[in-house]
Amino acid sequence: MIKIKSAINRSLKIYQKYKEIINYLIVGVLTTVVSVASYTLFRIIIQKYMICTILSWIAAVLFAYFANRIFVFKSKDKKLLKEFINFLTCRLLTLGIEMFIMFILVDLLKINDIISKILVQFIIIVLNYVFSKLLVFKPKN
C-alpha cells in the first residue's frame, strides 16, 4: 500500500511540474481524434481527400481552441475575438503545412491517406503547441 501511495505522490509531482504540457498532450490527442474521426466520416461521403482534410481541420480547430483556452492555457484574455483570430492564423499556417505533407505522402509517395493523416498529426501537434504557447495564449505582462 505504501508503494502505491508513493507512486501516486510521484505521479502528482510530475503532473504538477509538467501540467501544461501534459494537458496539451491530452487535448492534442483528443483534437487528433476529432480530426481523424471527422476526416474518416467525411471520406465516406466525399471522395476528395483534400476537401476532407479542410473540413476535418475546421472541426478540429474549433474543438482545439476552446479546449486549449479553458483546460491548457487557462486564458483569461477578454479579447476573445483577437485571441481566436491569432489562434486561427496559426492553425491556418499548420493547415498549409499539413496539406503540403499530405500531398507529398499521398500523391507523390502513394501512402494510404488515412495512415498519412495519422502520421502528419504528430508534426502538427508539436507545431500547434509552439505557436499556441508563443503567439496565442502567451501570458499578459
Side-chain angles (χ1 to χ4, degrees):
M1 187 67 167
I2 294 173
K3 287 184 180 182
I4 293 173
K5 280 187 176 182
S6 177
I8 290 171
N9 285 336
R10 279 193 310 261
S11 296
L12 288 173
K13 284 180 184 176
I14 291 170
Y15 175 73
Q16 286 304 318
K17 185 175 181 179
Y18 300 105
K19 185 177 184 176
E20 184 179 273
I21 292 171
I22 292 169
N23 287 349
Y24 185 81
L25 290 173
I26 292 167
V27 168
V29 168
L30 293 173
T31 301
T32 300
V33 168
V34 169
S35 180
V36 173
S38 62
Y39 178 85
T40 303
L41 289 173
F42 289 129
R43 278 293 273 149
I44 293 170
I45 52 176
I46 301 170
Q47 296 302 310
K48 303 282 185 189
Y49 78 88
M50 285 292 192
I51 292 171
C52 296
T53 297
I54 293 168
L55 293 174
S56 70
W57 175 83
I58 292 168
V61 165
L62 290 172
F63 173 82
Y65 173 69
F66 289 105
N68 280 302
R69 177 179 169 75
I70 295 166
F71 298 112
V72 177
F73 299 104
K74 299 180 183 351
S75 176
K76 305 287 188 230
D77 195 335
K78 302 283 190 246
K79 297 178 181 172
L80 193 67
L81 184 59
K82 180 181 181 223
E83 184 181 75
F84 180 73
I85 289 170
N86 288 341
F87 187 83
L88 187 60
T89 301
C90 291
R91 294 299 165 114
L92 281 168
L93 177 60
T94 58
L95 172 63
I97 293 167
E98 180 176 350
M99 292 185 72
F100 178 71
I101 297 171
M102 285 290 288
F103 171 76
I104 291 170
L105 295 176
V106 176
D107 287 343
L108 301 181
L109 299 177
K110 306 298 182 198
I111 297 173
N112 176 277
D113 61 299
I114 302 282
I115 293 169
S116 296
K117 178 74 174 170
I118 293 168
L119 293 173
V120 169
Q121 291 312 298
F122 290 103
I123 298 166
I124 299 306
I125 286 172
V126 172
L127 289 174
N128 284 334
Y129 176 77
V130 170
F131 293 156
S132 290
K133 177 80 175 166
L134 298 178
L135 303 174
V136 180
F137 299 109
K138 58 186 178 228
K140 309 298 183 244
N141 293 333

